[in-house]
Amino acid sequence: FKFFDTIKFIRRFPLFANLMDAGREMNYAIYYRQPIPGKWGIRLWLKAKNQEKKMRHKNYSLLWEETIGWGLCDHLEENGVIPYAVPLAVPNQKVAKVIRELNSVNIWAGFRRFDVARCMFEPDYQKCVLVPIHSGMTGAPMAKLLDVLKRNFS
């Protein structure tokens, strides 16, 4: 595995670890380190953005349609959004169980507070379970996500 090789390299040459991290951050334009994305990052995004938007929209629509009536997405816009992740309004008594089940099927969900009012002057933070719906969730991962939600809410 590449992961283990990288770890071994970092242990043998700790000075290079910092250089590797800095190079990786600049290469991938991690925003807190590099406010302006690199040319390579821009080219990748321009090539992939239409497909990424399409897949996110498809996943969002599927999530919306499959969970309608359960109250999980009532605070969200139905159309016109293409999010990377979605905050689900899971009842307090089910939050831990839902997160545990999602994580057990390799869907990295977490507990967050989301401003359901979407207003920085009068925020209304509610407890939510944040789930990914980016293009990497298309197909089997999205089916797993919906399966966990169906088991807990239908």
Side-chain angles (χ1 to χ4, degrees):
F1 292 102
K2 182 169 176 29
F3 176 74
F4 294 112
D5 291 343
T6 303
I7 296 296
K8 188 187 297 182
F9 182 78
I10 288 170
R11 286 187 182 146
R12 289 180 62 200
F13 306 102
L15 176 63
F16 291 112
N18 293 335
L19 293 173
M20 287 172 55
D21 286 343
R24 189 169 31 255
E25 287 174 2
M26 287 187 294
N27 207 22
Y28 289 105
I30 295 174
Y31 299 113
Y32 69 93
R33 296 283 185 168
Q34 183 176 345
I36 300 170
K39 290 179 184 178
W40 186 68
I42 292 171
R43 267 188 268 131
L44 279 176
W45 173 244
L46 291 175
K47 273 178 140 174
K49 76 176 181 178
N50 290 334
Q51 184 66 19
E52 178 69 22
K53 287 179 178 181
K54 190 161 108 180
M55 298 315 301
R56 286 185 192 187
H57 179 71
K58 178 183 173 187
N59 290 341
Y60 183 78
S61 296
L62 182 62
L63 180 69
W64 179 274
E65 291 164 8
E66 292 290 325
T67 62
I68 206 155
W70 298 342
L72 299 176
C73 297
D74 290 351
H75 61 288
L76 302 173
E77 301 292 325
E78 185 175 355
N79 295 311
V81 292
I82 48 170
Y84 182 82
V86 173
L88 301 176
V90 175
N92 287 339
Q93 67 273 19
K94 292 189 176 187
V95 167
K97 182 178 185 243
V98 168
I99 290 173
R100 188 172 47 253
E101 286 186 29
L102 287 169
N103 290 343
S104 74
V105 293
N106 294 323
I107 296 171
W108 305 117
F111 173 79
R112 300 287 185 272
R113 293 187 185 273
F114 179 72
D115 178 13
V116 295
R118 292 180 205 81
C119 179
M120 62 194 289
F121 303 111
E122 295 178 8
D124 180 14
Y125 291 102
Q126 301 292 322
K127 296 175 183 177
C128 294
V129 173
L130 191 67
V131 296
I133 61 160
H134 51 76
S135 62
M137 289 293 294
T138 303
M142 197 67 187
K144 288 179 187 178
L145 169 69
L146 293 171
D147 184 51
V148 169
L149 295 177
K150 285 176 186 173
R151 277 199 315 266
N152 284 281
F153 297 101
S154 64

